[in-house]
Amino acid sequence: AGQRIRDRDKRSLALSAARSFLFNEVISARISEGLMHTVLPGDCLMLSGSHSFFVEDEASAALQARLDSGDVQLTAPLWGRGTTPARADAQAFEARALAAHGSWLEGLEQAGLNQERRALSLQPKGWSWTREAEGLRLAFWLPAGCFATSVLRELVELEMENGHEDSAQ
């Protein structure tokens, strides 16, 4: 809204939340259009287990097979200054997904943040669970910047989609 937050911690939290919101908007658009697991021409892909990414101009069958096998992951922008590395169809897709948030994009750029990329999906590691008197205890490991609440939300939604809405199950 054009207001400047003076408290450094609150400003950092607000900027991170804005970037996460926009990142999630791109993910939501990919999901709603059935493109969460589909390579688009010009997509930025990240090698699994790394933070480096590359851009592919073609959506080849070989690249799709690498995505399907987990060797590479699709990415979405963490908005900031600079030109998006996405090209062609992927760039147009991301622009459409973020079109309603121009003031947010501009605000993040003016805040001095540089554009980055992050993988669209995550694979929790070290899964374990135990049933306890007060419920179910889950344990898993996530990389930095990922939130357990997102994993739990997906588990609950999966359960609800499978028709198991009864919390006692």
Side-chain angles (χ1 to χ4, degrees):
Q3 296 178 354
R4 186 159 189 94
I5 300 171
R6 299 212 185 276
D7 180 294
R8 185 176 180 165
D9 291 336
K10 287 182 182 177
R11 181 178 186 274
S12 179
L13 181 62
L15 292 173
S16 291
R19 287 178 106 186
S20 293
F21 170 77
L22 296 170
F23 176 84
N24 289 338
E25 287 291 285
V26 174
I27 293 174
S28 293
R30 281 194 92 118
I31 290 170
S32 68
E33 294 190 28
L35 299 172
M36 188 64 180
H37 304 286
T38 303
V39 178
L40 296 173
D43 252 330
C44 300
L45 295 111
M46 188 171 282
L47 296 170
S48 293
S50 79
H51 293 286
S52 63
F53 68 90
F54 60 96
V55 181
E56 279 294 322
D57 291 323
E58 288 186 42
S60 67
L63 187 59
Q64 184 65 50
R66 287 182 70 190
L67 177 66
D68 294 343
S69 74
D71 182 40
V72 296
Q73 296 180 299
L74 295 170
T75 67
L78 288 172
W79 203 263
R81 291 183 302 193
T83 305
T84 178
R87 298 191 288 253
D89 295 359
Q91 181 183 23
F93 178 86
E94 290 177 3
R96 281 192 314 275
L98 298 172
H101 307 292
S103 62
W104 288 55
L105 302 175
E106 186 178 308
L108 289 168
E109 291 170 14
Q110 290 176 358
L113 298 172
N114 291 321
Q115 211 167 120
E116 299 175 38
R117 303 293 295 190
R118 180 170 290 161
L120 290 182
S121 61
L122 63 105
Q123 298 294 322
K125 307 275 190 240
W127 277 102
S128 68
W129 64 275
T130 54
R131 188 175 291 271
E132 299 179 356
E134 58 275 355
L136 185 65
R137 179 181 301 261
L138 298 174
F140 50 89
W141 178 88
L142 298 174
C146 299
F147 297 94
T149 52
S150 298
V151 174
L152 296 175
R153 182 194 67 228
E154 294 303 315
L155 291 173
V156 170
E157 287 186 15
L158 174 65
E159 193 71 18
M160 292 175 74
E161 288 174 8
N162 288 329
H164 300 291
E165 295 177 305
D166 182 353
S167 63
Q169 292 184 355

